[in-house]
mmCIF file of all heavy atoms in Angstrom:
data_model
loop_
_atom_site.group_PDB
_atom_site.id
_atom_site.type_symbol
_atom_site.label_atom_id
_atom_site.label_comp_id
_atom_site.label_asym_id
_atom_site.label_seq_id
_atom_site.Cartn_x
_atom_site.Cartn_y
_atom_site.Cartn_z
ATOM 1 N N ARG Y 1 0.763 -4.850 -10.783
ATOM 2 C CA ARG Y 1 -0.435 -4.574 -11.633
ATOM 3 C C ARG Y 1 -0.625 -3.079 -11.802
ATOM 4 O O ARG Y 1 -1.117 -2.635 -12.868
ATOM 5 C CB ARG Y 1 -1.704 -5.256 -10.984
ATOM 6 C CG ARG Y 1 -2.068 -4.726 -9.691
ATOM 7 C CD ARG Y 1 -3.327 -5.430 -9.122
ATOM 8 N NE ARG Y 1 -3.643 -4.937 -7.833
ATOM 9 C CZ ARG Y 1 -4.384 -3.823 -7.584
ATOM 10 N NH1 ARG Y 1 -4.818 -3.064 -8.623
ATOM 11 N NH2 ARG Y 1 -4.651 -3.415 -6.373
ATOM 12 N N LEU Y 2 -0.278 -2.283 -10.848
ATOM 13 C CA LEU Y 2 -0.385 -0.802 -10.952
ATOM 14 C C LEU Y 2 0.832 -0.206 -11.582
ATOM 15 O O LEU Y 2 0.790 0.688 -12.382
ATOM 16 C CB LEU Y 2 -0.573 -0.143 -9.595
ATOM 17 C CG LEU Y 2 -1.845 -0.574 -8.837
ATOM 18 C CD1 LEU Y 2 -1.889 0.109 -7.409
ATOM 19 C CD2 LEU Y 2 -3.071 -0.206 -9.640
ATOM 20 N N ALA Y 3 2.037 -0.791 -11.258
ATOM 21 C CA ALA Y 3 3.261 -0.289 -11.790
ATOM 22 C C ALA Y 3 3.379 -0.538 -13.313
ATOM 23 O O ALA Y 3 4.228 0.147 -13.972
ATOM 24 C CB ALA Y 3 4.459 -0.925 -11.050
ATOM 25 N N ARG Y 4 2.580 -1.409 -13.837
ATOM 26 C CA ARG Y 4 2.625 -1.698 -15.316
ATOM 27 C C ARG Y 4 1.791 -0.578 -16.053
ATOM 28 O O ARG Y 4 1.791 -0.639 -17.289
ATOM 29 C CB ARG Y 4 2.095 -3.041 -15.605
ATOM 30 C CG ARG Y 4 3.135 -4.171 -15.273
ATOM 31 C CD ARG Y 4 2.627 -5.518 -15.779
ATOM 32 N NE ARG Y 4 3.668 -6.558 -15.533
ATOM 33 C CZ ARG Y 4 4.700 -6.799 -16.366
ATOM 34 N NH1 ARG Y 4 4.862 -6.045 -17.409
ATOM 35 N NH2 ARG Y 4 5.555 -7.715 -16.050
ATOM 36 N N THR Y 5 1.232 0.328 -15.357
ATOM 37 C CA THR Y 5 0.493 1.398 -15.991
ATOM 38 C C THR Y 5 1.463 2.290 -16.750
ATOM 39 O O THR Y 5 2.574 2.539 -16.305
ATOM 40 C CB THR Y 5 -0.231 2.232 -14.942
ATOM 41 O OG1 THR Y 5 -1.142 1.450 -14.153
ATOM 42 C CG2 THR Y 5 -1.083 3.430 -15.609
ATOM 43 N N ASP Y 6 1.063 2.696 -17.968
ATOM 44 C CA ASP Y 6 1.871 3.622 -18.752
ATOM 45 C C ASP Y 6 2.346 4.778 -17.847
ATOM 46 O O ASP Y 6 1.534 5.376 -17.195
ATOM 47 C CB ASP Y 6 1.070 4.126 -19.932
ATOM 48 C CG ASP Y 6 1.882 4.990 -20.896
ATOM 49 O OD1 ASP Y 6 2.433 6.001 -20.465
ATOM 50 O OD2 ASP Y 6 1.924 4.647 -22.105
ATOM 51 N N PRO Y 7 3.638 5.090 -17.852
ATOM 52 C CA PRO Y 7 4.159 6.098 -17.050
ATOM 53 C C PRO Y 7 3.519 7.517 -17.345
ATOM 54 O O PRO Y 7 3.569 8.422 -16.469
ATOM 55 C CB PRO Y 7 5.673 6.170 -17.334
ATOM 56 C CG PRO Y 7 5.953 4.860 -17.963
ATOM 57 C CD PRO Y 7 4.734 4.407 -18.690
ATOM 58 N N PHE Y 8 2.910 7.724 -18.505
ATOM 59 C CA PHE Y 8 2.348 8.952 -18.831
ATOM 60 C C PHE Y 8 0.816 8.891 -18.659
ATOM 61 O O PHE Y 8 0.110 9.839 -19.125
ATOM 62 C CB PHE Y 8 2.701 9.325 -20.283
ATOM 63 C CG PHE Y 8 4.156 9.612 -20.480
ATOM 64 C CD1 PHE Y 8 5.042 8.609 -20.745
ATOM 65 C CD2 PHE Y 8 4.662 10.865 -20.220
ATOM 66 C CE1 PHE Y 8 6.443 8.843 -20.875
ATOM 67 C CE2 PHE Y 8 6.013 11.100 -20.318
ATOM 68 C CZ PHE Y 8 6.924 10.111 -20.651
ATOM 69 N N THR Y 9 0.310 7.879 -17.938
ATOM 70 C CA THR Y 9 -1.085 7.796 -17.639
ATOM 71 C C THR Y 9 -1.147 7.728 -16.074
ATOM 72 O O THR Y 9 -0.363 7.001 -15.481
ATOM 73 C CB THR Y 9 -1.740 6.516 -18.183
ATOM 74 O OG1 THR Y 9 -1.687 6.539 -19.596
ATOM 75 C CG2 THR Y 9 -3.202 6.396 -17.742
ATOM 76 N N GLN Y 10 -2.051 8.451 -15.495
ATOM 77 C CA GLN Y 10 -2.049 8.522 -14.035
ATOM 78 C C GLN Y 10 -2.631 7.218 -13.395
ATOM 79 O O GLN Y 10 -3.631 6.672 -13.873
ATOM 80 C CB GLN Y 10 -2.956 9.685 -13.559
ATOM 81 C CG GLN Y 10 -2.405 11.063 -13.941
ATOM 82 C CD GLN Y 10 -3.264 12.168 -13.347
ATOM 83 O OE1 GLN Y 10 -3.542 12.149 -12.141
ATOM 84 N NE2 GLN Y 10 -3.604 13.159 -14.139
ATOM 85 N N VAL Y 11 -1.964 6.800 -12.326
ATOM 86 C CA VAL Y 11 -2.440 5.760 -11.485
ATOM 87 C C VAL Y 11 -3.401 6.417 -10.415
ATOM 88 O O VAL Y 11 -2.954 7.410 -9.739
ATOM 89 C CB VAL Y 11 -1.323 5.035 -10.772
ATOM 90 C CG1 VAL Y 11 -1.840 4.088 -9.674
ATOM 91 C CG2 VAL Y 11 -0.545 4.158 -11.777
ATOM 92 N N THR Y 12 -4.566 6.007 -10.292
ATOM 93 C CA THR Y 12 -5.483 6.610 -9.309
ATOM 94 C C THR Y 12 -5.813 5.602 -8.155
ATOM 95 O O THR Y 12 -6.303 6.126 -7.100
ATOM 96 C CB THR Y 12 -6.833 6.967 -9.960
ATOM 97 O OG1 THR Y 12 -7.336 5.888 -10.696
ATOM 98 C CG2 THR Y 12 -6.536 8.081 -11.022
ATOM 99 N N GLU Y 13 -5.548 4.378 -8.321
ATOM 100 C CA GLU Y 13 -5.790 3.432 -7.209
ATOM 101 C C GLU Y 13 -4.490 3.416 -6.357
ATOM 102 O O GLU Y 13 -3.404 3.129 -6.815
ATOM 103 C CB GLU Y 13 -6.044 2.036 -7.699
ATOM 104 C CG GLU Y 13 -6.327 1.035 -6.595
ATOM 105 C CD GLU Y 13 -6.476 -0.413 -7.068
ATOM 106 O OE1 GLU Y 13 -6.498 -0.605 -8.314
ATOM 107 O OE2 GLU Y 13 -6.577 -1.326 -6.271
ATOM 108 N N MET Y 14 -4.636 3.804 -5.113
ATOM 109 C CA MET Y 14 -3.483 3.989 -4.240
ATOM 110 C C MET Y 14 -3.326 2.787 -3.361
ATOM 111 O O MET Y 14 -3.956 2.619 -2.228
ATOM 112 C CB MET Y 14 -3.651 5.259 -3.378
ATOM 113 C CG MET Y 14 -3.628 6.548 -4.162
ATOM 114 S SD MET Y 14 -1.982 6.962 -4.747
ATOM 115 C CE MET Y 14 -2.101 6.432 -6.472
ATOM 116 N N VAL Y 15 -2.466 1.871 -3.716
ATOM 117 C CA VAL Y 15 -2.066 0.680 -2.923
ATOM 118 C C VAL Y 15 -0.586 0.724 -2.816
ATOM 119 O O VAL Y 15 0.145 0.508 -3.807
ATOM 120 C CB VAL Y 15 -2.578 -0.632 -3.557
ATOM 121 C CG1 VAL Y 15 -2.090 -1.805 -2.694
ATOM 122 C CG2 VAL Y 15 -4.043 -0.640 -3.735
ATOM 123 N N GLY Y 16 -0.059 0.954 -1.586
ATOM 124 C CA GLY Y 16 1.359 0.995 -1.371
ATOM 125 C C GLY Y 16 1.663 0.019 -0.204
ATOM 126 O O GLY Y 16 0.827 -0.769 0.224
ATOM 127 N N SER Y 17 2.906 0.154 0.286
ATOM 128 C CA SER Y 17 3.332 -0.619 1.450
ATOM 129 C C SER Y 17 3.858 0.266 2.568
ATOM 130 O O SER Y 17 4.483 -0.134 3.466
ATOM 131 C CB SER Y 17 4.420 -1.671 1.052
ATOM 132 O OG SER Y 17 5.589 -0.998 0.590
ATOM 133 N N GLY Y 18 3.565 1.614 2.451
ATOM 134 C CA GLY Y 18 4.099 2.589 3.409
ATOM 135 C C GLY Y 18 3.339 2.537 4.749
ATOM 136 O O GLY Y 18 2.400 1.766 4.910
ATOM 137 N N PRO Y 19 3.683 3.407 5.634
ATOM 138 C CA PRO Y 19 3.128 3.387 6.984
ATOM 139 C C PRO Y 19 1.672 3.838 7.066
ATOM 140 O O PRO Y 19 1.076 3.653 8.130
ATOM 141 C CB PRO Y 19 4.011 4.274 7.767
ATOM 142 C CG PRO Y 19 4.687 5.215 6.778
ATOM 143 C CD PRO Y 19 4.799 4.376 5.492
ATOM 144 N N PHE Y 20 1.105 4.439 6.018
ATOM 145 C CA PHE Y 20 -0.308 4.920 6.060
ATOM 146 C C PHE Y 20 -1.020 4.321 4.841
ATOM 147 O O PHE Y 20 -0.447 4.228 3.713
ATOM 148 C CB PHE Y 20 -0.320 6.394 6.077
ATOM 149 C CG PHE Y 20 0.114 7.097 7.324
ATOM 150 C CD1 PHE Y 20 1.384 7.443 7.438
ATOM 151 C CD2 PHE Y 20 -0.727 7.266 8.418
ATOM 152 C CE1 PHE Y 20 1.907 8.102 8.633
ATOM 153 C CE2 PHE Y 20 -0.279 7.861 9.538
ATOM 154 C CZ PHE Y 20 1.036 8.269 9.669
ATOM 155 N N ARG Y 21 -2.295 4.138 4.984
ATOM 156 C CA ARG Y 21 -3.211 3.768 3.874
ATOM 157 C C ARG Y 21 -3.999 4.978 3.467
ATOM 158 O O ARG Y 21 -4.398 5.831 4.293
ATOM 159 C CB ARG Y 21 -4.267 2.653 4.357
ATOM 160 C CG ARG Y 21 -3.632 1.357 4.674
ATOM 161 C CD ARG Y 21 -4.764 0.361 5.039
ATOM 162 N NE ARG Y 21 -5.505 0.699 6.206
ATOM 163 C CZ ARG Y 21 -6.759 1.275 6.254
ATOM 164 N NH1 ARG Y 21 -7.356 1.552 5.130
ATOM 165 N NH2 ARG Y 21 -7.316 1.530 7.409
ATOM 166 N N PHE Y 22 -4.188 5.166 2.187
ATOM 167 C CA PHE Y 22 -4.995 6.223 1.610
ATOM 168 C C PHE Y 22 -6.438 5.781 1.718
ATOM 169 O O PHE Y 22 -6.832 4.735 1.182
ATOM 170 C CB PHE Y 22 -4.613 6.463 0.159
ATOM 171 C CG PHE Y 22 -5.458 7.479 -0.523
ATOM 172 C CD1 PHE Y 22 -5.377 8.797 -0.231
ATOM 173 C CD2 PHE Y 22 -6.290 7.053 -1.568
ATOM 174 C CE1 PHE Y 22 -6.183 9.745 -0.910
ATOM 175 C CE2 PHE Y 22 -7.078 7.968 -2.267
ATOM 176 C CZ PHE Y 22 -7.050 9.336 -1.919
ATOM 177 N N VAL Y 23 -7.282 6.582 2.362
ATOM 178 C CA VAL Y 23 -8.730 6.224 2.545
ATOM 179 C C VAL Y 23 -9.467 6.949 1.457
ATOM 180 O O VAL Y 23 -9.977 8.068 1.567
ATOM 181 C CB VAL Y 23 -9.207 6.657 3.914
ATOM 182 C CG1 VAL Y 23 -10.642 6.144 4.080
ATOM 183 C CG2 VAL Y 23 -8.312 6.065 5.026
ATOM 184 N N ALA Y 24 -9.597 6.247 0.289
ATOM 185 C CA ALA Y 24 -10.220 6.835 -0.852
ATOM 186 C C ALA Y 24 -11.662 7.270 -0.636
ATOM 187 O O ALA Y 24 -12.135 8.283 -1.199
ATOM 188 C CB ALA Y 24 -10.150 5.895 -1.997
ATOM 189 N N SER Y 25 -12.397 6.503 0.150
ATOM 190 C CA SER Y 25 -13.792 6.787 0.326
ATOM 191 C C SER Y 25 -14.062 8.099 1.035
ATOM 192 O O SER Y 25 -15.211 8.606 0.988
ATOM 193 C CB SER Y 25 -14.447 5.643 1.096
ATOM 194 O OG SER Y 25 -13.915 5.525 2.447
ATOM 195 N N GLU Y 26 -13.075 8.611 1.770
ATOM 196 C CA GLU Y 26 -13.252 9.856 2.485
ATOM 197 C C GLU Y 26 -12.582 11.058 1.852
ATOM 198 O O GLU Y 26 -12.594 12.178 2.375
ATOM 199 C CB GLU Y 26 -12.701 9.742 3.902
ATOM 200 C CG GLU Y 26 -13.436 8.675 4.736
ATOM 201 C CD GLU Y 26 -13.110 8.753 6.206
ATOM 202 O OE1 GLU Y 26 -13.143 9.886 6.772
ATOM 203 O OE2 GLU Y 26 -12.768 7.755 6.800
ATOM 204 N N ARG Y 27 -12.037 10.893 0.616
ATOM 205 C CA ARG Y 27 -11.426 11.994 -0.059
ATOM 206 C C ARG Y 27 -12.533 12.925 -0.576
ATOM 207 O O ARG Y 27 -13.494 12.446 -1.219
ATOM 208 C CB ARG Y 27 -10.560 11.528 -1.200
ATOM 209 C CG ARG Y 27 -9.898 12.652 -1.970
ATOM 210 C CD ARG Y 27 -9.197 12.153 -3.168
ATOM 211 N NE ARG Y 27 -8.437 13.212 -3.843
ATOM 212 C CZ ARG Y 27 -8.017 13.075 -5.117
ATOM 213 N NH1 ARG Y 27 -8.213 12.025 -5.823
ATOM 214 N NH2 ARG Y 27 -7.370 14.162 -5.674
ATOM 215 N N VAL Y 28 -12.416 14.201 -0.367
ATOM 216 C CA VAL Y 28 -13.294 15.231 -0.888
ATOM 217 C C VAL Y 28 -12.454 16.229 -1.676
ATOM 218 O O VAL Y 28 -11.608 16.932 -1.060
ATOM 219 C CB VAL Y 28 -14.088 15.961 0.227
ATOM 220 C CG1 VAL Y 28 -15.016 17.023 -0.418
ATOM 221 C CG2 VAL Y 28 -14.911 14.982 1.025
ATOM 222 N N ALA Y 29 -12.525 16.191 -2.921
ATOM 223 C CA ALA Y 29 -11.600 17.029 -3.794
ATOM 224 C C ALA Y 29 -11.796 18.478 -3.380
ATOM 225 O O ALA Y 29 -12.841 19.030 -3.254
ATOM 226 C CB ALA Y 29 -12.024 16.844 -5.294
ATOM 227 N N GLY Y 30 -10.589 19.130 -3.184
ATOM 228 C CA GLY Y 30 -10.568 20.530 -2.783
ATOM 229 C C GLY Y 30 -10.826 20.737 -1.365
ATOM 230 O O GLY Y 30 -10.786 21.924 -0.951
ATOM 231 N N SER Y 31 -11.015 19.709 -0.549
ATOM 232 C CA SER Y 31 -11.429 19.897 0.837
ATOM 233 C C SER Y 31 -10.685 19.040 1.784
ATOM 234 O O SER Y 31 -10.082 19.475 2.775
ATOM 235 C CB SER Y 31 -12.904 19.727 0.990
ATOM 236 O OG SER Y 31 -13.280 19.817 2.370
ATOM 237 N N ARG Y 32 -10.673 17.684 1.577
ATOM 238 C CA ARG Y 32 -10.135 16.775 2.557
ATOM 239 C C ARG Y 32 -9.525 15.555 1.997
ATOM 240 O O ARG Y 32 -10.004 14.982 0.968
ATOM 241 C CB ARG Y 32 -11.266 16.335 3.501
ATOM 242 C CG ARG Y 32 -10.826 15.529 4.710
ATOM 243 C CD ARG Y 32 -12.021 15.066 5.548
ATOM 244 N NE ARG Y 32 -12.850 14.109 4.838
ATOM 245 C CZ ARG Y 32 -14.148 13.929 5.064
ATOM 246 N NH1 ARG Y 32 -14.770 14.651 5.979
ATOM 247 N NH2 ARG Y 32 -14.835 13.008 4.371
ATOM 248 N N VAL Y 33 -8.443 15.119 2.610
ATOM 249 C CA VAL Y 33 -7.751 13.805 2.222
ATOM 250 C C VAL Y 33 -7.494 13.087 3.561
ATOM 251 O O VAL Y 33 -7.108 13.773 4.543
ATOM 252 C CB VAL Y 33 -6.416 14.026 1.474
ATOM 253 C CG1 VAL Y 33 -5.811 12.755 1.016
ATOM 254 C CG2 VAL Y 33 -6.570 15.034 0.329
ATOM 255 N N VAL Y 34 -7.701 11.821 3.584
ATOM 256 C CA VAL Y 34 -7.643 11.077 4.876
ATOM 257 C C VAL Y 34 -6.708 9.876 4.690
ATOM 258 O O VAL Y 34 -6.694 9.181 3.651
ATOM 259 C CB VAL Y 34 -9.001 10.582 5.316
ATOM 260 C CG1 VAL Y 34 -8.875 9.711 6.606
ATOM 261 C CG2 VAL Y 34 -9.959 11.798 5.600
ATOM 262 N N TYR Y 35 -5.892 9.638 5.723
ATOM 263 C CA TYR Y 35 -4.968 8.464 5.765
ATOM 264 C C TYR Y 35 -5.171 7.786 7.081
ATOM 265 O O TYR Y 35 -5.463 8.366 8.100
ATOM 266 C CB TYR Y 35 -3.544 8.931 5.673
ATOM 267 C CG TYR Y 35 -3.237 9.744 4.424
ATOM 268 C CD1 TYR Y 35 -3.395 11.159 4.428
ATOM 269 C CD2 TYR Y 35 -2.830 9.184 3.230
ATOM 270 C CE1 TYR Y 35 -3.160 11.906 3.332
ATOM 271 C CE2 TYR Y 35 -2.601 9.931 2.127
ATOM 272 C CZ TYR Y 35 -2.764 11.301 2.173
ATOM 273 O OH TYR Y 35 -2.508 12.082 1.081
ATOM 274 N N ALA Y 36 -5.077 6.405 7.088
ATOM 275 C CA ALA Y 36 -5.149 5.619 8.256
ATOM 276 C C ALA Y 36 -3.903 4.823 8.430
ATOM 277 O O ALA Y 36 -3.195 4.512 7.464
ATOM 278 C CB ALA Y 36 -6.330 4.679 8.175
ATOM 279 N N ARG Y 37 -3.542 4.512 9.638
ATOM 280 C CA ARG Y 37 -2.367 3.738 9.945
ATOM 281 C C ARG Y 37 -2.405 2.360 9.249
ATOM 282 O O ARG Y 37 -3.432 1.741 9.245
ATOM 283 C CB ARG Y 37 -2.280 3.515 11.471
ATOM 284 C CG ARG Y 37 -1.024 2.751 11.900
ATOM 285 C CD ARG Y 37 -1.257 2.069 13.252
ATOM 286 N NE ARG Y 37 -1.526 2.991 14.293
ATOM 287 C CZ ARG Y 37 -0.658 3.425 15.145
ATOM 288 N NH1 ARG Y 37 0.620 2.947 15.135
ATOM 289 N NH2 ARG Y 37 -0.924 4.294 16.085
ATOM 290 N N HIS Y 38 -1.309 1.976 8.611
ATOM 291 C CA HIS Y 38 -1.180 0.677 8.009
ATOM 292 C C HIS Y 38 -0.767 -0.279 9.102
ATOM 293 O O HIS Y 38 0.423 -0.361 9.512
ATOM 294 C CB HIS Y 38 -0.124 0.692 6.856
ATOM 295 C CG HIS Y 38 0.129 -0.604 6.257
ATOM 296 N ND1 HIS Y 38 1.230 -0.896 5.460
ATOM 297 C CD2 HIS Y 38 -0.608 -1.755 6.186
ATOM 298 C CE1 HIS Y 38 1.203 -2.097 5.028
ATOM 299 N NE2 HIS Y 38 0.058 -2.639 5.479
ATOM 300 N N GLU Y 39 -1.756 -1.048 9.563
ATOM 301 C CA GLU Y 39 -1.541 -1.876 10.749
ATOM 302 C C GLU Y 39 -0.492 -2.960 10.529
ATOM 303 O O GLU Y 39 0.131 -3.438 11.447
ATOM 304 C CB GLU Y 39 -2.858 -2.547 11.172
ATOM 305 C CG GLU Y 39 -3.919 -1.545 11.629
ATOM 306 C CD GLU Y 39 -3.608 -0.836 12.922
ATOM 307 O OE1 GLU Y 39 -2.634 -1.274 13.600
ATOM 308 O OE2 GLU Y 39 -4.319 0.108 13.260
#
């Protein structure tokens, strides 16, 4: 559902299968980005 996004349009919802999860609620632009272990 995300990969069908036009390649020249940004995907902003970060759902992957990698070892860390992107914690969108704790992102502060220009200041902080947070990741949690993908259990």
